[in-house]
Amino acid sequence: MAELHLFGQIESGCGFSERRLFCKWGLHAGAAWTLLAGAGAGQTQLDDPQVGDAAQWGHPLDLHLATKGLQGWPRLLLEVWHVDGWGRRGLAGYGVCHVPSAPGCHRVTCVTWRPRPTRRQRLLAPGGPELREPAAAAGAADRFRLRTEAAGTVRLQLGVLARHMGRFGVAL
Amino acid sequence: MAGAARRGGSAVYRSRDPVRNLRLRVSYCAQGFPAVVLYLWCCQFEVDLYLNESACQTPLDWQYHEEIRKLEKAGGRKNCRIFTYTDHDRFTNLEELCQKVTDLDHEVPSYLVERMANVRRRRQDRRPVEASSLKSKIITWEPSEEFIKNNHVINTPVQTMYIMGDLGPYGKLGHREYENVLCTIKVDSNGVITVKPDFTGTKGAYRIELDGEKREVWEYTIENASAQVQPEEEEREQRVFRELYGRHRDYLSGLVGSDFEMPLPGTLRLLVNGEIVSAQGYEYDNLYVHFFLELPNQWSSSPFQQLSGVTQTCATKAVGWDNVAYFCYPFSVEMFYTQEDEDSLPQWPVLYFEVLSLDFWQRYRVEGYGSLVLPTCPGVHVLTIPTWRPVGLGPVAEMRRFFIGGSPELEDLTYARIPSTFQGKRLSRFGFRTETTGSVTFRLCCLQQSRAFLENSALRQRMQSVLDRLGGFSQQSSVYNVLEAFQRARRRMQEARESLPQDLINTSASAVPQPLDP
């Protein structure tokens, strides 16, 4: 079996239309992958930036994965939510990015989108429509059914370390 | 005595043993008087402890007790010259505060020094806090003074012991001004022992010259007299660790299994995990991207593999000067390359895509065509591809595009690069009018896997062309099989050799009969 170590942090989120944001993250991988150590999902704290619009989270990621095959390379699914002054939660964006396959330190900028709200929803409710199956955002099936709009970007710093990949003839 | 050494810097040792096992031997002599040897245990207060019979529990304690009684009987502690200060004494506090670091004449310790000294001293009395207990309260809204002191500075608990020598003239012992520090020993909770100056070893004794009329010279040596660990015990400890790690490793591999999916021999498997990240700089709103992958000859993919896709429709937003649409559309493609003909160079697959806009009134326009050759070297690649769209002659086509949608389109998307129907030697696009539109960003993680990469691990590091690595396998498959079987057997033999216990290998080496000397 080959192993993959992933560590780093979800650094910040910026460019969203709202300011008080938190991020839910989850790791999705194929059936050949097993999570040996580390939490596979989590949620950052709620951050309210005083200067600028970048919400700084600094949420640590530390995962140890093992795999029997290369298919189903792990992806990180990010959901950014915002909380308004009255404590209501609304969706700010969905984003998905593949875990970088090359070993080393990577700065990943994951862009996000969200389903387009109607004008009434924009006025009254925080956020807009949410996906019935949030995990579907991690995949590409049926994406063409969605009407979305561009939201902000999430910055991640990821360090990737692979082990025994060379033993199975994998060039990373 | 041989040339005396200068009192040099400190030495750092690491040990997991409790500090009580550290024993030092200090021997000193002054100007020709015979040397006196003294054994010291590291915790001075234990000397008093063992004097008290009720505190002795283990046989070792009783032994200490006997030795101290003997010392006491022989007229008190004969040598009152060497004694120690530990953390409980006032000397330590002063010493920590007044330590000078630079050569300034009037160096005054700063506020931080005082805070650190306070914290270090205080910490010895407290038990170490269990780090694993989850605190229910994460935030302390009103921190107390002590809390602030402990948390604003580093607080590694450090135990210090000063071995002092009272170098006063005989008969005038006990005066503060003749006290000199012979050695400083600092032990912290991580098992780091700092001895300053270092043990004398072979360097020769340290000298202290006293100021005064007589200018006496004292020489002393410090040696480590702790009991060494027995080799059998050490061996046993190593064996236990090795077993523990081995069991953990077996458990981990048992969770997943030790096999790995391998491609067929003689093929290269290319796995591309990519995302269509964004599209920027386009004229209209509500963009979507339709793409497909074209596999040249000698490339194949499984029938279940989706080689095309359509993203969602995304409304743009303004970022800087551009209007950007964020798709974040992940795709994963797996392709196989089999080399038939040794002479021809491999052609890499191409991703063709088109950007279209679809608005509220269902007017549909082509915004741009582009193509992207998949990267040949594995790794992470972020590529921004500019696109163009065909423009017709005259204003009519443009007006139609504006009012009702619909624009000149390419029948064959591969025209964006080299049309698949093209046979000749020179491609001419003369007369074809286009207009530059925006660009699309892709992020691709390319992985390559092949049995050929197992052959030479040194070559794998360099980015060689795939051609060298795959060289002519289809004809030499039988030779390859034989080679592979040999490699497998060799690897098995090596692994078996590693897992043999060391002494078995050594004894087997010594059992070889040595040739007799003539």
Side-chain angles (χ1 to χ4, degrees), chain B residues 481-515:
Chain B
N481 285 340
V482 169
L483 275 176
E484 215 210 357
F486 167 69
Q487 290 285 346
R488 254 186 285 135
R490 188 159 173 269
R491 238 179 282 132
R492 266 207 297 266
M493 190 265 296
Q494 275 176 345
E495 276 166 21
R497 192 145 199 258
E498 272 169 26
S499 63
L500 266 178
Q502 279 299 319
D503 48 0
L504 197 62
I505 297 179
N506 288 340
T507 53
S508 68
S510 62
V512 172
Q514 302 295 333

